[in-house]
Amino acid sequence: MPIDDSLPFLPVRIAVLTVSDTRGPADDRSGATLAARLTDAGHVLADRAIEPDDADTIVARLEAWIADPLVDVVISTGGTGVTGRDVTPEAFARVWEKEIPGFGELFRWLSFRTIGTSTIQSRACAGVARGTYLFALPGSTGAVKDGWDGILRDQLDSRHRPCNFVELMPRLLER
């Protein structure tokens, strides 16, 4: 999609959440991939955390970042599958006010090109909570690349045309 270079680039402050019972800072490749991609694109890494696959813990982390005026966007990686411990979509749904269903649909469509029908196991999702965008990606580095490179890089670029999420930010709290 086209980038209009006559418009200013507006950096977005993004928090990265890795949801995992087994990963720590030393082996969080998907979180590191996401953090590198967003900073390479000119955005600000506002915060980064790893939380276990526990809905209450995820909700608490999301609520803290949603309340933080220095966080515009939260992107998580992990916990979007269909196993018993995968609870990220349920946690996100507990905090968002509006779901963005097209995000998950588009993610699975893009992911289909690389992993085929296995993409059906992803419950990638997105929403908006009190003016903060929330995006949940699967936990693989491939999924992070698909989600960032195929959707979020453009939608979080204020110069992207015909429209983008950044230009809507001032209006997210309208009532």
Side-chain angles (χ1 to χ4, degrees):
M1 293 290 141
I3 296 293
D4 184 345
D5 288 319
S6 71
L7 298 172
F9 175 79
L10 303 174
V12 177
R13 297 166 299 201
I14 304 171
V16 172
L17 174 62
T18 297
V19 178
S20 175
D21 287 333
T22 59
R23 292 185 192 156
D27 61 353
D28 178 18
R29 292 183 306 127
S30 57
T33 298
L34 184 54
R37 277 178 152 63
L38 72 89
T39 55
D40 288 348
H43 297 293
V44 176
L45 179 61
D47 202 358
R48 186 170 165 196
I50 300 173
E51 298 291 356
D53 290 285
D54 175 77
D56 292 337
T57 304
I58 296 165
V59 165
R61 174 65 69 177
L62 292 174
E63 290 285 358
W65 281 339
I66 291 164
D68 186 341
L70 298 179
V71 175
D72 301 311
V73 175
V74 175
I75 306 173
S76 73
T77 174
T80 63
V82 297
T83 68
R85 297 285 299 155
D86 292 323
V87 295
T88 301
E90 289 78 12
F92 273 52
R94 284 172 46 186
V95 300
W96 68 40
E97 296 152 343
K98 292 186 179 184
E99 182 180 11
I100 306 170
F103 176 80
E105 295 160 0
L106 181 55
F107 173 82
R108 284 180 284 281
W109 179 79
L110 291 169
S111 181
F112 179 79
R113 297 182 305 184
T114 48
I115 65 169
T117 59
S118 295
T119 194
I120 198 95
Q121 296 177 28
S122 164
R123 296 185 304 137
C125 60
V128 180
R130 296 187 310 279
T132 303
Y133 286 113
L134 307 171
F135 302 99
L137 296 170
S140 71
T141 56
V144 166
K145 291 173 185 176
D146 286 347
W148 180 263
D149 298 349
I151 306 170
L152 295 173
R153 179 183 59 209
D154 287 340
Q155 280 299 299
L156 295 177
D157 189 326
S158 56
R159 304 165 300 167
H160 183 264
R161 294 291 159 242
C163 56
N164 60 76
F165 283 133
V166 178
E167 66 190 356
L168 298 176
M169 287 175 143
R171 299 178 48 212
L172 292 177
L173 295 175
E174 289 178 344
R175 295 285 173 236

